[in-house]
Amino acid sequence: RSSQPLTGPNRKRCREDETLLGTVVDEGERGFIIDTRSAQAAKQARMTGGGTEPKSSYPQWRRLHRPLERGRPLQESFIKLVEACNDTSINMDRWLSRLESCRWLSHVKAALSTACLAAQCMDREEASVLVHGAEGTDTTLLVTALAQVILDPSCRTLAGFQGLLEREWIEAGHPFHLRCAHSAYSHARLKQEAPLFLLFLDCVWQLSRQFPFSLEFGERLLLTLFDNAYASTYGTFLCNNEKERCLCKVKESTHSLWAWLNQPGEKKKYLNPLYSHNALVIWPSVEPQSIQLWQGLFFRWIRASQYLDEAWAEIQRLVEGS
């Protein structure tokens, strides 16, 4: 993963970048560059100093554009969805119309599709893959993190998933402070806000629903991560990058969310009692009927989870007793 190359309107070259990517692929092999912007957006970025990798300078690399929303449109989609979920006065037809118009499930499908593309390039083509958008701290991390969950069974364990979040989101510099400054209930409309991390968690929930035995952790962990990204008594998701966390002495001044989650008494609450190690790649379906609304999150404020919690506890009891 990386940020965009700074070719600019004069099509500048960076010999170091060319050499670096040249050493990744052997002679006769090819790699894939997945750009999470549209071709038009990438072209516009070139006028302000950014851009894409020119074919002439990267002959062994093929560029694929898979546009993903990352800014205000994604935040507006999140807001519209929450508003629709909280409106209990509308009938089913009106509800389905509002669900479709907010386009949240379309964003989920696009994210999973792009992650599957990256995973297929690596697993089936045995090719190297570079993923980038603009800064490389938003949709880029969404795709690389999801691709690893799809490909790597160790990332589907509780410890491995925590390591993935630390590596792909926290250390890689996703700006949590800017992106999660306000929830969908806020009237503020700051252009820096966008629920990219929530979109990632939703995609992981889709994977857990389609492959209920393959993830060691359950929905409760994903809900806890969502809550802590927006409001937390821990320092794990504070600030925008490692530099800010060092300057604010976050590790010295706060407690880690991971340390709390990994206490034996707490850890048990987040484990999936149906988990069975699956060494295979898990290929999710992205057909419309396969992508479902995450009711455990979006309906949690209007629908009691008592019966689901009781069912989950019963599953745990039966598994432990067998």
Side-chain angles (χ1 to χ4, degrees):
R1 49 171 156 71
S2 75
S3 57
Q4 64 182 327
L6 304 180
T7 51
N10 297 325
R11 296 179 183 271
K12 293 183 292 184
R13 294 178 65 177
C14 178
R15 303 290 184 181
E16 292 82 2
D17 278 0
E18 293 169 19
T19 302
L20 180 64
L21 290 192
T23 59
V24 171
V25 291
D26 295 327
E27 189 174 345
E29 293 182 347
R30 68 172 178 172
F32 293 91
I33 297 171
I34 298 178
D35 194 324
T36 59
R37 303 165 296 175
S38 66
Q40 182 63 30
K43 188 175 181 180
Q44 291 173 346
R46 196 168 65 212
M47 304 309 296
T48 56
T52 58
E53 297 81 358
K55 290 182 180 179
S56 58
S57 302
Y58 300 88
Q60 290 177 266
W61 291 83
R62 180 186 174 193
R63 190 172 71 251
L64 306 170
H65 288 276
R66 293 295 184 273
L68 298 174
E69 294 288 1
R70 68 185 186 98
R72 184 170 288 177
L74 192 60
Q75 180 74 1
E76 291 295 331
S77 175
F78 177 37
I79 292 168
K80 288 178 181 178
L81 174 58
V82 171
E83 288 175 347
C85 289
N86 287 343
D87 188 351
T88 56
S89 64
I90 55 177
N91 60 30
M92 182 58 71
D93 288 342
R94 179 66 178 143
W95 152 247
L96 292 174
S97 175
R98 288 182 66 175
L99 177 62
E100 184 178 5
S101 66
C102 76
R103 300 194 65 246
W104 180 260
L105 296 183
S106 298
H107 297 311
V108 172
K109 177 182 178 179
L112 282 172
S113 298
T114 307
C116 283
L117 173 64
Q120 286 171 347
C121 290
M122 295 176 67
D123 183 66
R124 296 179 179 175
E125 300 284 335
E126 296 184 348
S128 297
V129 177
L130 170 66
V131 183
H132 71 63
E135 291 83 18
T137 56
D138 289 290
T139 51
T140 304
L141 307 184
L142 172 65
V143 173
T144 56
L146 282 175
Q148 289 177 65
V149 175
I150 291 168
L151 289 170
D152 187 355
S154 70
C155 291
R156 303 195 287 266
T157 65
L158 182 60
F161 190 66
Q162 290 176 23
L164 176 76
L165 296 180
E166 189 71 31
R167 181 175 67 249
E168 295 298 311
W169 288 89
I170 297 170
E171 293 177 354
H174 180 65
F176 283 98
H177 178 66
L178 288 173
R179 298 293 183 264
C180 303
H182 294 88
S183 72
Y185 290 97
S186 171
H187 295 294
R189 294 291 188 270
L190 303 177
K191 65 179 182 179
Q192 295 279 6
E193 292 177 352
L196 264 301
F197 187 60
L198 167 59
L199 182 57
F200 167 70
L201 296 176
D202 197 328
C203 290
V204 174
W205 178 82
Q206 304 288 338
L207 291 172
S208 72
R209 194 189 60 79
Q210 292 188 28
F211 300 92
F213 305 105
S214 296
L215 277 68
E216 189 186 22
F217 50 88
E219 180 184 52
R220 188 168 184 173
L221 176 71
L222 302 177
L223 293 172
T224 299
L225 291 169
F226 166 74
D227 291 339
N228 279 272
Y230 280 89
S232 180
T233 54
Y234 301 91
T236 303
F237 296 115
L238 289 180
C239 303
N240 294 308
N241 49 53
E242 285 294 285
K243 180 181 178 181
E244 287 187 11
R245 280 186 279 274
C246 287
L247 289 172
C248 295
K249 296 183 178 180
V250 168
K251 289 185 178 179
E252 294 86 350
S253 306
T254 67
H255 293 285
S256 167
L257 174 64
W258 312 134
W260 175 65
L261 289 178
N262 289 320
Q263 295 177 101
E266 286 295 324
K267 183 177 179 180
K268 185 179 178 181
K269 301 175 185 177
Y270 302 98
L271 294 176
N272 173 13
L274 302 177
Y275 172 69
S276 176
H277 176 75
N278 178 6
L280 302 175
V281 176
I282 55 173
W283 297 111
S285 168
V286 293
E287 294 299 318
Q289 64 269 27
S290 300
I291 306 295
Q292 295 191 9
L293 181 67
W294 185 4
Q295 296 186 31
L297 174 68
F298 295 110
F299 288 166
R300 66 193 294 205
W301 294 282
I302 61 170
R303 179 188 294 173
S305 62
Q306 174 190 350
Y307 300 114
L308 286 174
D309 292 341
E310 289 176 354
W312 194 249
E314 181 65 13
I315 290 173
Q316 281 186 311
R317 188 186 68 78
L318 291 172
V319 170
E320 290 171 358
S322 63

